[in-house]
Amino acid sequence: MKTIISIFLTFLSMPECYSQYIDLTTIPKYDCEHKKENLFVSKGFTFVIPDVTDSILNERMEVYSSWYNDTIKIKKESELLRADYYKNLWIVGKISDFKNWKRFKLPIQKIDNGFIFRGAEYTNNLDGISYIDTNRIAYVGNDNMCLFGIREPSYSNGMDFTITQNLRKTIFGNYLNDSDSINVSDLRLLRENNYRFYPTKFMNFYVSKKIDSFNIDQIEHAQKSFCQDFCKFFNLAYPKEKIKAFFHSDQLEILMVSGYWDRCGGSIGGLSPKGEIHTKGTSTELISHEFGHKIFESNFGSSDDKVGYLSEGVIRYYFNSKNANQYYKDLEIAYKKIDGINYISRFDDYGRFDFGDDYPISGVFTKYIVDSYGIDKLNLYYSKFEFVKSTNLIFDKSFEEFINDYKEWLKKEYERKEE
Ligand SMILES: [Zn+2]
């Protein structure tokens, strides 16, 4: 007999408790140490994909493979030997494309138009699931597009299973010590129960029930003026879709409810997954910071595909333009580290960004681009994907020249400040 500690079932059967705050310490906990995954990986494993692939699956496999420096074998289902089924397998792809699904012995049942997990049917095109055990990992669903839902906004391997619907995490859970019982919850339900909803024409606001002093009209007004000013400043179009803005009261709320489960440790002020912004508290500048990311995203595509030097740089540059003191502080940091940064590593495919000094320096760097080339060139650069390569195209110089010019500019800018 399987026992289910199911928060949402409890609520469905007790409508009078509907709006009660769900205590986040009782919901499934994300394992920041990824113990199951580490054990799985330590024994060696093989990636398995169906014989039928498409460009999405191929591209995703390139990404997953790069996590392990391309040392892991990728086998098509038909290449699996009998002995392989006894080994650790990381199964990726569209469930219906696998011929012998049952042989993987996963608790995910293949049906004609989708799959069943723990008694529930998932038959929509974009339904997917990530599942992790010590000898199986599955990133699968009804379409290869589901793989994006599984990975975004963050890594899901710290939960035993996560259902994604419409490319968003919904139901998630962990097996308890006795592997027949589980702790499960639902992000949609947390959002419904723990937040007050304030729809407006401009934005949809969701405020944690733990926050009691706020003024939605004021917040809306402040963000409207920010949007106007920011779009004018960068010559950008207004965001196309209405943003959902979530205001959280503490670290656990922002991490769990935003779906950025893997941002363990540290203190997070704001996050911006697709179509949403999340902040701890209702500070105008914090909300505007995340909103600014959304405006750039709406104009030039996801910030996840951009390097932090640009995506954070534009925001810092904007706020510094209103705050000379802050700019001088940032300039000081950039000047001190002028030769201490591996600039190419900040602009290459992996786009490293340390959330300490890179924040201030990225804002100064953005000012260099604007001062030297103007806003339109900055935007054109921002719209690209391969930034090291693109410098030639946009600025008519190699990346090395681009950086040398930055250093020259920085020295002059610093001297000017000293005067
Ligand atoms: Zn940011």
Side-chain angles (χ1 to χ4, degrees):
M1 179 62 199
K2 299 194 172 188
T3 14
I4 298 177
I5 301 176
S6 165
I7 291 154
F8 75 95
L9 286 183
T10 314
F11 277 98
L12 286 179
S13 57
M14 298 197 302
E16 66 276 14
C17 300
Y18 182 71
S19 63
Q20 201 177 315
Y21 185 91
I22 298 166
D23 179 359
L24 297 190
T25 61
T26 65
I27 66 170
K29 218 173 158 237
Y30 187 84
D31 173 21
C32 293
E33 292 169 35
H34 298 119
K35 283 191 221 76
K36 278 194 178 168
E37 181 190 358
N38 290 339
L39 192 60
F40 172 92
V41 170
S42 70
K43 290 191 223 147
F45 70 95
T46 305
F47 280 120
V48 183
I49 56 173
D51 284 26
V52 189
T53 64
D54 64 9
S55 56
I56 297 172
L57 182 58
N58 292 338
E59 187 269 337
R60 287 290 91 191
M61 289 318 298
E62 264 179 41
V63 173
Y64 302 161
S65 188
S66 73
W67 297 342
Y68 302 95
N69 298 321
D70 303 319
T71 56
I72 307 295
K73 200 170 204 143
I74 302 174
K75 282 194 175 183
K76 289 197 168 162
E77 189 186 13
S78 62
E79 295 166 346
L80 287 175
L81 308 171
R82 183 185 293 260
D84 286 327
Y85 287 92
Y86 295 100
K87 295 179 186 162
N88 285 359
L89 302 177
W90 189 326
I91 300 139
V92 186
K94 190 171 159 185
I95 295 175
S96 61
D97 284 341
F98 287 97
K99 297 271 182 296
N100 290 303
W101 179 255
K102 276 189 185 159
R103 289 192 74 184
F104 296 125
K105 292 203 165 73
L106 285 162
I108 303 161
Q109 190 190 334
K110 176 178 170 180
I111 53 175
D112 278 351
N113 49 352
F115 64 95
I116 297 178
F117 182 70
R118 294 198 64 85
E121 281 190 14
Y122 297 94
T123 54
N124 285 325
N125 185 34
L126 292 181
D127 289 348
I129 178 169
S130 89
Y131 171 86
I132 175 156
D133 204 343
T134 47
N135 65 348
R136 291 285 184 267
I137 293 182
Y139 282 8
V140 295
N142 299 337
D143 190 289
N144 285 328
M145 276 298 283
C146 298
L147 299 172
F148 292 104
I150 288 167
R151 274 291 294 151
E152 273 147 42
S154 72
Y155 206 48
S156 56
N157 285 9
M159 287 290 176
D160 291 351
F161 59 86
T162 307
I163 300 284
T164 60
Q165 289 163 289
N166 245 331
L167 309 185
R168 288 175 193 276
K169 295 181 168 113
T170 54
I171 298 161
F172 57 98
N174 285 326
Y175 291 90
L176 301 177
N177 289 338
D178 147 26
S179 68
D180 268 352
S181 35
I182 59 166
N183 184 8
V184 60
S185 190
D186 187 328
L187 262 186
R188 293 165 299 188
L189 210 81
L190 296 181
R191 290 174 167 198
E192 254 172 61
N193 279 268
N194 293 5
Y195 293 77
R196 291 191 182 89
F197 176 43
Y198 301 90
T200 76
K201 251 191 180 162
F202 181 66
M203 246 189 210
N204 285 334
F205 297 102
Y206 300 77
V207 187
S208 163
K209 286 182 181 167
K210 283 186 171 176
I211 299 178
D212 31 47
S213 119
F214 59 92
N215 181 331
I216 286 293
D217 292 340
Q218 245 168 40
I219 294 172
E220 189 193 15
H221 181 77
Q223 294 312 315
K224 259 187 186 163
S225 353
F226 163 76
C227 182
Q228 250 169 12
D229 190 60
F230 190 82
C231 289
K232 206 170 136 201
F233 186 88
F234 284 112
N235 200 10
L236 298 175
Y238 280 30
K240 288 182 216 85
E241 68 177 317
K242 202 198 261 189
I243 306 289
K244 290 180 180 173
F246 288 83
F247 307 135
H248 308 277
S249 73
D250 54 40
Q251 182 78 9
L252 190 56
E253 273 193 350
I254 191 169
L255 283 187
M256 287 314 301
V257 176
S258 67
Y260 277 95
W261 299 334
D262 64 352
R263 297 286 173 96
C264 303
S267 169
I268 284 163
L271 293 163
S272 52
K274 195 172 177 295
E276 298 173 357
I277 59 178
H278 293 260
T279 56
K280 200 155 68 185
T282 56
S283 128
T284 302
E285 186 164 326
L286 209 49
I287 301 169
S288 298
H289 177 114
E290 300 306 331
F291 190 22
H293 284 310
K294 290 293 117 175
I295 297 173
F296 263 92
E297 223 167 86
S298 168
N299 279 270
F300 303 119
S302 171
S303 309
D304 293 343
D305 300 326
K306 311 296 173 187
V307 291
Y309 254 55
L310 293 175
S311 65
E312 296 301 340
V314 290
I315 311 282
R316 189 77 170 203
Y317 167 61
Y318 169 82
F319 282 109
N320 280 353
S321 76
K322 321 263 172 206
N323 184 344
N325 276 339
Q326 185 59 53
Y327 175 62
Y328 289 141
K329 278 187 204 160
D330 287 4
L331 191 59
E332 190 92 38
I333 297 171
Y335 183 74
K336 273 192 187 139
K337 294 205 86 174
I338 191 166
D339 291 316
I341 302 225
N342 177 358
Y343 294 97
I344 203 157
S345 76
R346 301 306 196 264
F347 285 86
D348 67 11
D349 296 350
Y350 299 98
R352 278 191 45 227
F353 191 80
D354 101 56
F355 284 85
D357 284 346
D358 278 341
Y359 254 131
I361 299 171
S362 67
V364 175
F365 200 95
T366 302
K367 187 169 189 299
Y368 148 70
I369 299 179
V370 176
D371 285 6
S372 317
Y373 303 97
I375 288 281
D376 290 343
K377 280 275 164 84
L378 169 76
N379 286 346
L380 192 60
Y381 194 41
Y382 195 102
S383 71
K384 301 292 174 197
F385 295 100
E386 294 177 301
F387 296 98
V388 175
K389 266 192 203 162
S390 299
T391 49
N392 245 322
L393 194 75
I394 314 281
F395 307 114
D396 203 19
K397 51 183 58 136
S398 69
F399 188 77
E400 289 68 32
E401 287 172 291
F402 181 55
I403 295 302
N404 287 337
D405 285 1
Y406 161 68
K407 291 183 179 176
E408 287 309 312
W409 172 89
L410 181 55
K411 282 176 199 156
K412 282 196 197 119
E413 184 78 352
Y414 188 75
E415 281 159 21
R416 198 167 65 83
K417 175 220 155 191
E418 291 291 274
E419 279 160 14

